[in-house]
């Protein structure tokens, strides 16, 4: 037995850096690690049993996967009818056991727009186009996000309503009269605006700078004075006066209207309810708790039924408000209650020190909430928030029971069309609708993952 | 420690009262956590508060900026009386800076944003000016190059120095330190203490709850010993450490200096 090991050691050269062996990288390594490794251990009887079991499970799952993919592909593509050149409608699809795509083509307009008059449908398209651009702008961070967000939150809903619903606008006089009436205030407004533009920089001294707000005010007042007749005229020329009642809206349009209204309103309302539930003031706390618990305890369907069927009994005869609006309010109430609980979870994850840090700097309660607590709480619960959004998006299908024809409702309606009645029509329709819902929900899910990674500052 | 003691500078203390605490009592439910606290702090004083855990020292300084409520007695900061009036509380908080054991930086904001947040929102400073001030103080605590990083990317010592800079950006009249080095690894304690010493030498009024007795010897002009919610003994550091009067102080000092 040695009593003394020589422990001294000095490295004179760095050990060489080497590439990972092929058992660690490449497709073979991947297949081995992820599929075959679990089936290859027969060292003891116990491990052999597990390996055999894994083999059976792998083969079964693989078979089920291939079988499912094949079935769907066969239905949607290989056995499907794609064209109906002779306009045979249902007869074109009767021969094949697969999907009836001419039916989707024929009903696509209704899937998208419901019963919206075709000659006015450009209004929906413009509206949805603006929405797509606005969302894309905010999702892929482009410059001026703040301004775009404000526009989408406050101006866009008005524009969307005017576009979708239409607004009867009457203006007096023809173009010539209007222009000759407004050119003078318009020029004054321009001058005031230019003055503000120059005065707001620091270049011309404090006195000029102090005049900037007054100039801006003047420009705005003059602008409104001159602009209103022009705007109403432009709107009238652009939009016409035709009102499209909400009962003609339908399909994806109405799904998006209800869902986006719900998403945009339920988040802030949920935030307020979550804060209310934690408030020290009993009246605020208890009214928040009661609202949340009552709404969470009732099925959405019953609220929608109540809004649609019962409400007229309680209102004065003749007093009525829009059915779609009622449904939207119902959906918002629901989503808000769930949202409040999700956000409360986030609030509870914020350490007390964050509040104290904010307090010790003299920030007011609302400043602490807005600048410190909420940004962190919301980031923590992004998965829960998006989960609620996805649930809300799919819950919009329930408006179907109060005869609002959303995407799913319009599908059911078109399925009743005898001209397209074939054994596979319904399958085809549901497949398409499912795919549309899935695309929207999966996009939200991916965006949530992206946001989580982007906002995660704890591990950087 | 003797080296530090020789480096001690004599610092001026003014006659102006910064904090005046009279007959203050506080309860947690039925538990009497602070008992009959009387303490007058003059502008420019550096006070170290020590004592066993649970003695109420943290609670005491947290009462000064109303993070904790007191039930009896009065606290005056810079002539502003601490009452339930939210205006007074906000005013006092913006005049009194505080550093915490766990830093309490805002993890979702960069170092620079942490420092400019309160000046912009509470003091309504223009952003440009707030950034200039913040960079000035970050340079002072020797981490201006970390300004664009997030707190999670910094070491504990760096984070605590950022927390000090963040408080200084509000140009406070008084700084409170609540065990600022207790959560730090040993090699990082010195960088934080050096920052605090520098601050003291510039004449900042400071109240520090700490177990760093070397720091107390070097910069404190008064050491306060608390036990069971009361101020048991206070004295100038030399006399406090070399000639403690109360048995409880002697026991405490033997426990923390004994090894």
């Amino acid at each position: 037995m040695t009593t003394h090991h020589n422990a001294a050691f000095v490295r004179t050269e760095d050990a060489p850096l080497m590439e990972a062996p092929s058992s660690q990288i490449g497709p073979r390594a991947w297949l081995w690690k992820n599929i075959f490794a679990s089936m290859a251990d027969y060292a003891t009887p116990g491990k052999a049993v597990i390996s055999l079991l894994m083999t059976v499970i792998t083969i079964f799952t693989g078979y089920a996967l291939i079988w499912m993919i094949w079935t769907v592909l066969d239905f949607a593509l290989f056995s499907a009818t794609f064209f109906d050149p002779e306009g045979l409608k249902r007869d074109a699809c009767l021969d094949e056991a697969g999907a009836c795509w001419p039916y989707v083509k024929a009903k696509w307009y209704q899937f998208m727009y419901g019963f919206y008059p075709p000659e006015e449908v450009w209004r929906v398209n413009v509206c949805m186009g603006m929405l797509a651009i606005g969302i894309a702008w905010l999702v892929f961070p482009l410059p001026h996000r703040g301004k775009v967000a404000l526009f989408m939150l406050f101006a866009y809903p008005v524009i969307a309503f005017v576009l979708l619903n239409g607004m009867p606008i009457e203006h007096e006089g023809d173009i010539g009269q209007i222009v000759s009436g407004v050119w003078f205030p318009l020029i004054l407004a321009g001058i005031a605006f230019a003055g503000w533009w120059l005065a707001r920089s620091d270049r011309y001294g404090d006195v000029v700078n102090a005049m900037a707000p007054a100039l801006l005010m003047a420009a705005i007042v003059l602008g409104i004075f001159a602009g209103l007749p022009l705007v109403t005229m432009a709107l009238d020329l652009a939009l016409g006066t035709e009102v499209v009642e909400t009962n003609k809206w339908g399909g994806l349009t109405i799904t998006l209207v209800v869902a986006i209204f719900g998403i945009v309103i339920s988040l802030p309302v949920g935030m307020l309810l979550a804060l209310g539930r934690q408030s020290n003031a009993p009246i605020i706390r208890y009214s928040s708790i009661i609202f949340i618990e009552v709404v969470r305890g009732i099925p959405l369907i019953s609220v929608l039924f109540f809004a649609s069927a019962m409400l007229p009994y309680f209102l004065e005869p003749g007093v009525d408000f829009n059915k779609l609006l009622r449904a939207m309010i119902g959906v918002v109430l629901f989503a808000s209650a769930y949202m409040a609980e999700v956000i409360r979870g986030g609030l509870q994850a914020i350490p007390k020190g964050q509040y104290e840090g904010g307090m010790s700097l003299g920030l007011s309660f609302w400043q602490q909430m807005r600048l410190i607590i909420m940004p962190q709480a919301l980031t923590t619960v992004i998965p829960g928030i998006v989960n609620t959004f996805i649930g809300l998006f799919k819950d919009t299908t329930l408006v179907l029971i109060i005869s609002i024809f959303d995407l799913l409702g319009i599908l059911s309606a078109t399925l009743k069309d005898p001209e397209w009645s074939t054994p596979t029509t319904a399958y085809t329709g549901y497949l398409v609708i499912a795919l549309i819902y899935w695309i929207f929900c999966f996009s939200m899910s991916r965006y949530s993952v992206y946001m989580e990674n982007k906002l995660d500052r704890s591990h950087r | 420690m003797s080296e530090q003691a020789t480096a001690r500078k004599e610092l001026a203390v003014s006659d102006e009262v910064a904090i005046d605490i009279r007959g203050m009592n506080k309860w947690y439910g039925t538990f009497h956590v602070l008992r009959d606290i009387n303490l007058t702090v003059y502008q420019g004083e550096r006070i170290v508060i020590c004592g066993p855990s649970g003695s109420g020292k943290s609670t005491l300084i947290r009462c000064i900026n109303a993070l904790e409520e007191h039930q009896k007695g009065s606290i005056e900061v810079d002539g502003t009386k601490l009452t339930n009036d939210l205006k007074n509380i906000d005013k006092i908080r913006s005049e009194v800076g505080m550093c915490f054991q766990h830093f309490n930086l805002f993890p979702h904001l960069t170092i620079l944003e942490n420092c400019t947040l309160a000046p912009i929102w509470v003091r309504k400073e223009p952003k440009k000016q707030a950034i200039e001030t913040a960079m000035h103080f970050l340079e002072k605590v020797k981490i201006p190059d970390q300004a664009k990083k997030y707190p999670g990317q910094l070491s504990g010592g760096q984070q605590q120095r950022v927390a000090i800079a963040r408080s200084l950006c509000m140009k406070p009249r008084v700084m409170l330190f609540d065990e600022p080095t207790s959560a730090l690894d040993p090699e990082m304690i010195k960088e934080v203490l050096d920052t605090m010493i520098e601050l003291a030498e510039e004449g900042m009024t400071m109240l520090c709850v700490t177990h760093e007795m070397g720091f107390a010897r070097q910069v404190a002009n008064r050491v306060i010993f608390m036990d069971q919610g009361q101020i048991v003994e206070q004295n100038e550091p030399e006399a406090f450490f070399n000639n403690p009067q109360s048995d409880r102080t002697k026991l405490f000092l033997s426990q923390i200096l004994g090894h």
Side-chain angles (χ1 to χ4, degrees):
Chain A
M1 194 176 155
T2 15
T3 51
H4 179 74
H5 292 286
N6 189 358
F9 166 73
V10 179
R11 185 179 279 289
T12 49
E13 244 176 277
D14 283 346
L17 289 169
M18 293 184 290
E19 263 186 44
S22 64
S23 64
Q24 293 297 308
I25 48 175
R28 270 180 67 189
W30 187 92
L31 280 175
W32 173 254
K33 255 195 248 175
N34 290 290
I35 298 181
F36 295 109
S38 62
M39 308 178 215
D41 190 353
Y42 295 92
T44 65
K47 284 179 180 167
V49 168
I50 290 173
S51 289
L52 283 173
L53 206 63
M54 286 304 294
T55 312
V56 172
I57 292 173
T58 307
I59 291 172
F60 177 77
T61 332
Y63 174 75
L65 202 67
I66 291 166
W67 177 79
M68 264 161 53
I69 293 172
W70 170 255
T71 313
V72 172
L73 284 181
D74 181 47
F75 177 80
L77 300 175
F78 307 138
S79 310
T81 309
F82 285 96
F83 304 107
D84 177 21
E86 289 138 66
L88 300 172
K89 298 195 172 173
R90 71 183 285 266
D91 294 328
C93 292
L94 280 177
D95 300 338
E96 295 279 357
C100 181
W101 294 113
Y103 151 76
V104 175
K105 189 165 175 261
K107 301 294 183 189
W108 187 252
Y109 181 89
Q110 288 189 26
F111 289 172
M112 293 296 109
Y113 309 107
F115 309 110
Y116 211 88
E119 64 277 12
E120 300 289 338
V121 85
W122 64 270
R123 285 155 47 173
V124 183
N125 290 337
V126 169
C127 198
M128 294 302 161
M130 284 174 77
L131 180 70
I133 292 171
I135 289 177
W137 198 295
L138 298 172
V139 166
F140 308 105
L142 292 173
H144 302 293
R145 285 178 81 194
K147 285 172 202 163
V148 175
L150 283 180
F151 174 82
M152 291 308 286
L153 273 178
F154 296 106
Y156 178 74
V158 178
I159 295 171
F161 177 79
V162 171
L163 273 171
L164 289 176
N165 191 62
M167 192 180 256
I169 297 161
E170 287 171 22
H171 62 85
E172 287 160 16
D174 60 18
I175 301 175
Q177 276 176 315
I178 290 174
V179 172
S180 67
V182 300
W183 67 269
F184 188 60
L186 205 59
I187 288 171
L188 282 182
I191 292 171
F193 187 77
W196 166 73
W197 188 265
L198 293 174
R200 76 189 179 130
S201 76
D202 296 330
R203 256 176 295 167
Y204 307 102
D206 288 349
V207 182
V208 177
N209 203 319
M211 282 161 58
L215 284 167
L216 182 63
M217 284 290 291
I220 290 172
V221 171
L222 286 164
I224 291 172
F225 191 66
L228 268 183
L230 287 177
V231 170
T232 52
M233 185 183 75
L235 278 174
D236 187 21
L237 289 175
L239 303 178
T241 54
E242 190 180 338
V243 170
V244 180
E245 298 285 350
T246 53
N247 58 16
K248 289 195 182 133
W249 306 9
L252 185 63
T253 307
I254 222 156
T255 297
L256 288 179
V257 166
V258 176
I260 288 168
F261 181 80
I263 284 172
V264 170
I265 308 285
S266 68
L267 189 62
V269 176
M271 276 153 73
L272 288 178
L273 283 170
L275 289 177
R277 192 164 186 165
Q278 297 201 325
S279 166
N280 290 327
I283 186 145
I284 296 174
R285 185 168 67 248
Y286 285 115
S287 31
S288 303
I289 291 176
I290 290 170
F291 175 84
I292 292 168
E293 295 304 338
V294 165
V295 170
R296 285 204 307 169
I298 303 175
L300 176 54
I301 289 191
S302 63
V303 171
L304 292 176
F305 255 133
F306 180 83
S308 144
M310 299 291 285
L311 206 59
Y313 286 103
F314 293 95
L315 293 174
E316 299 265 323
V319 176
D320 190 20
F321 64 104
N322 190 290
K323 187 163 74 177
L324 178 62
L325 186 61
R326 280 186 263 163
M328 279 158 68
I329 290 172
V331 169
V332 161
L333 292 183
F334 247 77
S336 305
Y338 282 94
M339 192 60 75
E341 287 300 280
V342 170
I343 293 172
R344 190 165 68 98
L347 288 176
Q348 281 173 347
I350 306 293
K352 207 172 141 228
Q354 291 292 307
Y355 293 87
E356 289 180 350
M359 277 193 261
S360 74
L361 289 168
L363 293 166
S364 72
F365 173 80
W366 289 109
Q367 286 173 338
Q368 288 167 42
M369 289 304 131
R370 194 157 74 81
L371 303 167
I372 300 167
I373 306 302
M374 272 303 167
Q376 295 186 62
L378 294 181
T379 312
T380 319
V381 294
I382 286 175
I385 292 175
V386 175
N387 196 26
T388 310
F389 283 165
I390 289 176
L392 183 155
F393 191 86
K394 292 185 295 181
D395 278 351
T396 57
T397 52
L398 293 174
V399 299
L400 142 82
I401 59 142
I402 54 171
S403 29
I404 293 173
F405 291 96
D406 75 315
L407 189 50
L408 192 63
I410 209 85
L411 173 73
S412 313
T414 62
L415 290 178
K416 297 196 181 95
D417 182 353
E419 289 190 341
W420 285 102
S421 148
T422 76
T424 61
T425 308
Y427 301 135
T428 312
Y430 284 119
L431 184 69
V432 169
I433 300 305
L435 197 62
I436 295 174
Y437 277 110
W438 183 80
I439 287 169
F440 278 98
C441 294
F442 187 64
S443 310
M444 284 196 263
S445 158
R446 296 316 298 174
Y447 183 58
S448 118
V449 172
Y450 165 78
M451 286 302 283
E452 275 169 58
N453 292 332
K454 189 168 169 253
L455 294 175
D456 182 16
R457 262 112 204 209
S458 53
H459 305 300
R460 282 211 262 172
Chain B
M1 203 162 280
S2 60
E3 250 178 315
Q4 283 183 346
T6 51
R8 184 183 163 89
K9 286 187 191 171
E10 285 314 315
L11 300 164
V13 171
S14 92
D15 291 334
E16 205 184 322
V17 176
I19 300 169
D20 197 21
I21 303 175
R22 301 230 155 275
M24 193 253 279
N25 282 272
K26 175 174 174 58
W27 289 263
Y28 281 133
T30 55
F31 177 58
H32 201 167
V33 59
L34 288 178
R35 292 148 71 181
D36 188 35
I37 303 287
N38 289 289
L39 177 64
T40 306
V41 181
Y42 294 93
Q43 204 60 252
E45 276 203 285
R46 290 88 46 205
I47 296 177
V48 163
I49 304 173
C50 59
S53 64
S55 58
K57 47 197 195 306
S58 283
T59 313
L60 169 60
I61 66 165
R62 288 160 59 87
C63 281
I64 294 172
N65 65 350
L67 289 186
E68 303 277 355
E69 220 180 334
H70 61 280
Q71 280 83 34
K72 251 180 106 174
S74 72
I75 300 178
E76 247 177 69
V77 180
D78 249 348
T80 310
K81 201 156 191 169
L82 198 53
T83 56
N84 281 335
D85 188 349
L86 284 177
K87 240 189 205 153
N88 280 352
I89 291 178
D90 283 348
K91 180 162 184 293
I92 285 173
R93 281 179 183 161
S94 64
E95 301 292 331
V96 177
M98 185 164 198
C99 290
F100 301 86
Q101 184 177 357
H102 296 290
F103 333 130
N104 297 357
L105 293 177
F106 308 130
H108 63 301
L109 301 177
T110 62
I111 299 308
L112 187 62
E113 288 165 341
N114 263 279
C115 292
T116 56
L117 188 76
I120 289 174
W121 291 92
V122 179
R123 292 253 192 266
K124 313 286 179 206
E125 274 179 31
K127 198 173 170 194
K128 218 175 124 194
Q129 187 192 330
I131 290 175
E132 270 170 31
T133 317
M135 288 311 294
H136 168 75
F137 284 112
L138 285 175
E139 263 159 44
K140 226 172 106 85
V141 302
K142 302 188 182 65
I143 29 182
D145 44 330
Q146 315 279 5
K148 293 274 179 280
K149 291 190 181 169
Y150 289 91
Q153 296 165 288
L154 269 56
S155 74
Q158 290 174 321
Q159 289 193 46
Q160 192 60 291
R161 284 185 284 150
V162 171
I164 294 173
R166 179 176 76 175
S167 296
L168 292 179
C169 285
M170 290 293 283
K171 313 260 171 67
R173 308 258 286 157
V174 178
M175 283 287 290
L176 308 174
F177 291 86
D178 188 0
E179 306 207 23
T181 55
S182 302
L184 295 177
D185 290 336
E187 75 270 23
M188 292 169 183
I189 291 178
K190 187 174 178 299
E191 62 188 58
V192 171
L193 289 181
D194 284 347
T195 308
M196 290 167 63
I197 291 168
E198 202 179 308
L199 196 58
E201 287 173 351
E202 284 169 16
M204 175 63 78
T205 311
M206 295 163 68
L207 274 86
C208 312
V209 172
T210 181
H211 294 127
E212 297 295 332
M213 292 305 138
F215 172 78
R217 279 180 197 271
Q218 191 177 346
V219 297
N221 68 315
R222 224 192 313 173
V223 180
I224 292 178
F225 174 69
M226 287 184 72
D227 193 19
Q228 296 181 348
Q230 310 165 80
I231 294 178
V232 174
E233 186 166 345
Q234 56 172 313
N235 211 333
E236 292 180 354
E238 274 315 299
F240 179 85
F241 289 113
N242 298 338
N243 189 18
Q245 300 297 310
S246 137
D247 289 343
R248 287 195 256 182
T249 316
K250 284 176 194 162
L251 177 66
F252 176 74
L253 286 177
S254 74
Q255 279 166 340
I256 63 163
L257 300 174
H259 56 85

